[in-house]
Amino acid sequence: MKLSTIQHTLAALDVRPAKSLGQNFLHDQNLARWIVAQLELSPGDHLVEIGPGLGALTEFALPGCQSATLIDKDARLVEFLREHFASERVEIVHGDAAQFEVRTLFPRAPVKVLGNLPYYISSQILFRFTDEPSPAERLVFTLQKELAERMSAQPATKDYGILTLIIGRRWRVKLLRTLPASVFLPAPKVESAVILLTRREAGEVPDCDGEFFNAIVKQGFSQRRKQLRKMLAATLHETSADWQAVAKTIDAPETARGEELSLAQWIALANLLRPVEAIAQRVHEEIFDVVDEADQVTGIATRHEVHARNLRHRAVHIFVCNGAGELFLQKRSRWKDRHPGVWDSSAAGHVESGCGYDETAAREVREELGVTISVAWLGKIPASERTGFEFVHVYRAQHDGPFRLPPAEIETGAFFSLPLIAEWVAARPQDFASGFLECLPLLAEQN
Ligand code: SAM
């Protein structure tokens, strides 16, 4: 959008840019085109634009995507946007992006997020769209330069800290370029920078307990100048860890401060203090009952054998709903041997040889969600190719969370409304484990 067009449009709308809403409108068209190009939109993508304002980026982004959600807090601009970008494939939301319900975007994947962000609330918006579970796969934001530098900082620099590590563990962050204040109307008092966030690949950094990682990073940096030995004293005590030995194992000096540890060393530290159980070996040792077409036991076999030879065996799925009737879904770890990285029932697992369905259901909830609750039987699903040759007994339970998810098995999880799940399943069945899709109608019938 040209400077004169912005001035003219603001005058026609009788809008004076509000500092309290971080309103600085971009008037350099080449830059707008360049920022949008960094998002690498494909024709099937869903675009989310935060703070579209008068549409400086929107006009270049919309032609490149399938559909879009535009979110702005200023009602006057939302009205203008609704007139200018009216289309069936564009939803214009009047609201606060820091409160936006990102779960509603899962059925729209792949989702790419764009925004010349309002600076007063940038970090809240950033966390809203990058915290797990996030439907986004690529994000391009213009931010205050200092914030961009903190996110992309290297160890042992003044900018390196909590934000760098908490976002950097799951996202690759690249500071693409800085922008002078003069490209905006009105010119902000600070310099800006454009950053790109892309999701880290499986295995790019080791897995760890994410919540624990965040907690020790916050502890470690709560007083920057103090040594970790002191800052982590309580956690070291709780976990009976000896700092001298810990420092040696993660190859850090005993006198290290938080800023001296790289991301890899912080993850190693989290894993030393709270190890993530390796599931790969355990699962192959499990022994299951093999059953016939009437679900009668005919023998036993290892987990590997039943799957390799498509032998009928037994499993349970548990649907845990909260008080609002939303269903908790878990996203399976990317390291699972079966259905890695897809969404599944709240808890699910095989019935081990000699065990019953009911006791296994109670155990799976305990092991996968970390809570002890009673489960009610919902029904059963016959063994078929779609269930992986499992007879599945399905249960329902009620709990509002939060849950303690084992990171080696479950990447993340969240409650979703049943209508949203139905929309998501219809749009993207590939996002779900096939066994879950077989069991879901039993829950839907009940509601
Ligand atoms: N994208 C436009 C551009 O580049 O010219 C406008 C960018 S301006 C820096 C920030 C925009 O965010 C404004 O349109 C403002 O109304 C909007 N905004 C402010 N607070 C917001 C919030 N909490 N949620 C969503 N949008 C917000």
Side-chain angles (χ1 to χ4, degrees):
M1 218 171 206
K2 285 195 290 193
L3 181 58
S4 55
T5 318
I6 294 178
Q7 285 165 329
H8 177 78
T9 312
L10 289 175
L13 295 173
D14 197 19
V15 169
R16 270 214 252 138
K19 213 172 159 196
S20 61
L21 283 176
Q23 290 179 334
N24 306 94
F25 299 99
L26 180 67
H27 59 75
D28 184 319
Q29 303 215 71
N30 288 333
L31 257 180
R33 255 191 224 101
W34 179 86
I35 292 171
V36 170
Q38 307 314 305
L39 202 57
E40 296 183 356
L41 285 167
S42 302
D45 288 343
H46 183 76
L47 164 77
V48 176
E49 190 186 346
I50 297 162
L54 296 172
L57 302 177
T58 325
E59 60 175 326
F60 297 114
L62 281 184
C65 62
Q66 166 148 330
S67 51
T69 304
L70 315 178
I71 312 160
D72 205 291
K73 200 173 172 188
D74 189 326
R76 302 162 304 174
L77 301 183
V78 166
E79 204 174 312
F80 169 82
L81 291 163
R82 286 194 175 135
E83 279 168 22
H84 271 72
F85 297 107
S87 155
E88 268 185 7
R89 60 189 193 99
V90 181
E91 186 191 4
I92 300 170
V93 178
H94 175 215
D96 178 359
Q99 302 289 328
F100 184 77
E101 188 42 84
V102 294
R103 288 176 297 182
T104 60
L105 296 169
F106 278 98
R108 311 258 176 282
V111 172
K112 292 186 178 162
V113 186
L114 177 68
N116 287 345
L117 297 187
Y119 294 163
Y120 75 99
I121 199 168
S122 297
S123 26
Q124 287 95 316
I125 292 176
L126 205 65
F127 280 118
R128 189 77 181 177
F129 282 83
T130 56
D131 272 354
E132 283 303 332
S134 165
E137 65 174 46
R138 191 177 178 91
L139 307 95
V140 172
F141 288 141
T142 304
L143 307 165
Q144 193 169 335
K145 189 174 148 219
E146 282 70 23
L147 182 60
E149 285 172 343
R150 275 163 56 205
M151 288 173 63
S152 54
Q154 294 301 314
T157 62
K158 71 172 182 11
D159 291 325
Y160 183 76
I162 297 174
L163 195 69
T164 329
L165 288 159
I166 290 186
I167 297 210
R169 186 175 67 81
R170 287 170 297 105
W171 300 89
R172 258 177 265 138
V173 181
K174 201 165 166 197
L175 195 160
L176 297 176
R177 62 170 295 171
T178 55
L179 302 181
S182 58
V183 298
F184 294 101
L185 176 82
K189 292 212 163 57
V190 292
E191 264 188 282
S192 308
V194 182
I195 57 151
L196 165 69
L197 289 104
T198 47
R199 206 171 261 286
R200 288 200 185 276
E201 308 286 337
E204 194 176 327
V205 297
D207 272 347
C208 70
D209 181 328
E211 274 180 35
F212 182 71
F213 174 89
N214 291 355
I216 58 169
V217 164
K218 284 179 190 162
Q219 269 171 34
F221 279 93
S222 57
Q223 293 181 54
R224 267 192 99 86
R225 301 308 304 158
K226 291 218 168 133
Q227 296 181 5
L228 283 177
R229 179 210 318 253
K230 274 213 178 105
M231 301 313 300
L232 300 180
T235 309
L236 292 165
H237 179 72
E238 268 165 37
T239 53
S240 313
D242 167 38
W243 174 248
Q244 223 179 351
V246 168
K248 193 162 178 225
T249 313
I250 64 169
D251 200 18
E254 278 175 45
T255 55
R257 300 187 181 94
E259 64 193 32
E260 289 169 61
L261 263 53
S262 66
L263 173 63
Q265 285 174 308
W266 270 106
I267 294 176
L269 178 59
N271 279 329
L272 261 182
L273 299 180
R274 179 163 300 166
V276 172
E277 190 197 354
I279 52 167
Q281 297 90 354
R282 181 166 67 79
V283 292
H284 284 287
E285 290 158 9
E286 287 171 330
I287 306 283
F288 303 149
D289 286 332
V290 175
V291 297
D292 62 15
E293 61 275 18
D295 195 15
Q296 296 302 309
V297 178
T298 57
I300 57 167
T302 64
R303 176 194 174 94
H304 177 74
E305 267 180 294
V306 296
H307 289 145
R309 294 173 47 209
N310 289 340
L311 302 174
R312 288 187 199 90
H313 55 291
R314 293 170 167 171
V316 294
H317 277 239
I318 305 98
F319 292 132
V320 180
C321 295
N322 62 14
E326 294 173 317
L327 170 61
F328 186 81
L329 296 184
Q330 61 155 286
K331 190 170 188 209
R332 295 166 67 86
S333 151
R334 293 177 281 185
W335 305 110
K336 288 282 231 185
D337 58 343
R338 300 182 60 81
H339 311 296
V342 293
W343 292 86
D344 205 345
S345 305
S346 320
H350 290 106
V351 178
E352 289 186 30
S353 177
C355 297
Y357 283 107
D358 292 0
E359 61 178 303
T360 304
R363 195 199 67 214
E364 286 298 336
V365 172
R366 227 172 25 245
E367 288 185 0
E368 297 203 333
L369 304 180
V371 291
T372 303
I373 42 177
S374 54
V375 297
W377 191 81
L378 259 187
K380 71 179 187 194
I381 307 282
S384 72
E385 203 175 339
R386 289 195 48 77
T387 66
F389 299 94
E390 289 167 354
F391 279 95
V392 186
H393 281 223
V394 185
Y395 298 80
R396 182 187 175 136
Q398 173 128 5
H399 198 283
D400 287 337
F403 301 118
R404 227 179 108 57
L405 310 176
E409 308 218 14
I410 302 176
E411 193 172 303
T412 184
F415 283 102
F416 295 88
S417 74
L418 292 180
L420 178 65
I421 293 172
E423 184 192 345
W424 186 4
V425 165
R428 296 185 54 83
Q430 70 273 28
D431 287 354
F432 298 92
S434 56
F436 164 74
L437 295 178
E438 290 297 292
C439 298
L440 185 62
L442 279 181
L443 182 67
E445 277 164 23
Q446 258 234 335
N447 283 273

